Amino acid sequence: MTLRVLSVASEAAPLIKTGGLADVAGALPAALARQGVEVTTMLPGYPAVLAALGKTRALYKWPALLGTPARLLAGKIGDHDLLVLDAPALFDRAGGPYGDASGQDWDDNWRRFAAFSRAAADVARGAVKGRTFDLVHAHDWQAGLVPAYLRYSDDADAAPVPSIMTIHNMAFQGAFPPEIFPELGLAEAAWHVDGVEAYGQVGYLKAGMQLAYAITTVSPTYAGEIRSAEFGMGLEGIVQARSGCVHGILNGIDTADWNSANDPTLAATFSVSRLASRVRNKRALEREFGLAPGDGPLFIVVSRLTWQKGMDVLAGVLDHLVGIGGRLALLGSGDSEMEEAFLAAAARHPGRIGVRIGYDEALSHRLQAGGDAILIPSRFEPCGLTQLYGLAYGCVPVVSRTGGLADTVIDANPAALAAGVATGIQMNAVTDTMLAMAISRTANLYAQPAEWRRIQKNGMRADFSWGASGAAYAALYRQLTRTQG
Ligand code: ADP
C-alpha cells in the first residue's frame, strides 16, 4: 500500500538552502518513492520559493493564520509534490529564511514558524479536499509545533495523525519567551512540561520531541550522544525518557547531483576507474584560488564558519598547515571574527592559502573535485554531508570523531591500512594539537601515493546513497502508521 507522507521543512534543495537540512528534505521524496512512499514537501513561501512556483491557484485559504491571511499553493519540487504556505506578511521578505541580510534573526520567527506548523497540521489532518496523509514528518524546530497542533487541536474528533520529529541539529531549539504562548492558539493544557513548556519557555523542538510518535536524528552516533548533557543541550532528559522511540538514521547523498563522472561544474569529470583525470580539477582549483603548485596536500574547507564546525581551532593551526607544505582553499561564511581570521591567514601566506567568503554551490563541487583532503574538525556533527561529498569525489575527509563523522569515515590507523579499508583521518578531540597532528598524518599519507590512492578509492566506492536510509525511514513510517488508532 502506498503511504502518503507530509514532510514539513523550512528549507529544501534546490529551492531554498542554508545547510544540510535542505539537502535532506530535498532528497527524501525520491529516496522514499523507491520504497512505495509518496512524499509531499511543505515549505514556507519565501520569495525564491514563490518565484519557482509561477502562477498557481490556492488550494486552501486561512483568513487569519495566527493573525495573518494565508493561502496554500501547490507546485512541484523535481518530480514530487510541493505545498507552499503563502503568507506574505510572514515569509515574502528580502533576506534569508531566518533573518535579514546581516544575519540578524527576525523578531517574529516564533510567529512565522508557529503559523507554518499550524498550517501543516491542518493540511496533515485533511484540510485540503482530496489530499490525505498517513503521517507527518516534521524537521527541526521550525516544524516542531506540528505535533503540538495535532495533539492540542481544537478539533477533538479528528483522527490522530502519527508524526515523526527529526532533529538535524540539537543546537537550534527554537525556544521563545512564555508571553507568546497565548498567541499560538494551542489549548491551555499544552502549557505543561509534557507539552510545549521547556524550562519556562515555549520550546518548539522540545514540543516536537515530546509529542511526536517517534524521534529521529541523522546518525546512530549522534542519537547516542544527545542522551548526554554535552550534546543534548538541555533536552537530554527527553531523549533518555523516550529512548525507545529514538532512532538514528544516517543521511544519504543525492548521487545525481554529486556524480563526479557527470558533473557539469567540473573542469574534468572522473571516476574511481578514471582517477587520473582528477588532477585537472586540482590545477583548475589552484588557478581559481591563486595557489602556487606544491608537493604537499591541497586541503579544502566548505563550511559554515562557526564554533560548531571547529573553524576557530582551524584558524589557529594554519601556520602549521603551511609549515608542513600544505595549502588551503576555503569556501565559507559565518562569524565575522572567523572570516577575518581566515582572510588574515590568506594575506600572511599568499600562494598557500586562498579564501572565498560566501556561499557558492558550484564552487563547492569544484573544491571537492580538486582538493586532496577536506578538513572537518567539528565539535559536534549530527550527520555532516561534506565528508560524504568528499568521499564520493576522492577528497579524503579529515574529521573529528563525533556524530555522523564517526559513523562514516574509517580512520587510516595501522589496522585499517593493513586491512585496506581506510577512507579518511579521524582526530579524537578538537584541539590545536589534535588538529595539527591530523594534518601532519594526512601529509604523511599523501606522501605515499599508492596508499593515498587506495584511501581515495575506498571512499569513492563506499555507498552513501539513500538506499539503506530510505528503507529505514519507510520501515519506521510503516511501523508508526500500523500501531496508531
Ligand atoms: P550544516 O547543515 O551543519 O551546515 P552539513 O555538512 O550537514 O552541515 O551540510 C552543509 C551543506 O551546505 C553541504 O551541502 C555543503 O556543501 C553546503 N555548504 C556549506 N557552506 C557552503 C558554502 N559556503 N558554499 C556552498 N555550499 C556550502
Side-chain angles (χ1 to χ4, degrees), residues 391 395-397 408-412 416 421-425 455-456 458-459 462:
L391 289 167
C395 186
V396 174
T408 55
V409 175
I410 302 172
D411 179 53
V421 296
T423 60
I425 288 93
I455 295 173
Q456 278 182 301
N458 286 343

Side-chain angles (χ1 to χ4, degrees), residues 11 128 147 158 194 211 221 367 372 405 469 482:
E11 42 186 288
V128 182
D194 294 332
L211 299 166
T221 292
L367 280 156
D372 295 310
L405 300 172
S469 304
R482 259 200 311 274

Side-chain angles (χ1 to χ4, degrees), residues 265-266 281 285 288 360-371:
T265 64
L266 306 187
N281 295 303
L285 197 60
E288 190 165 2
D360 185 335
E361 194 78 31
L363 180 54
S364 77
H365 284 236
R366 295 198 294 277
L367 280 156
Q368 298 277 16

Side-chain angles (χ1 to χ4, degrees), residues 17 19-20 23 302-304 309 331-332 358-360 384-386 389:
K17 170 170 167 177
D23 291 308
V302 178
S303 184
R304 293 188 283 120
K309 302 290 182 180
L331 167 64
Y359 191 93
D360 185 335
L385 290 169
T386 55
Y389 300 146

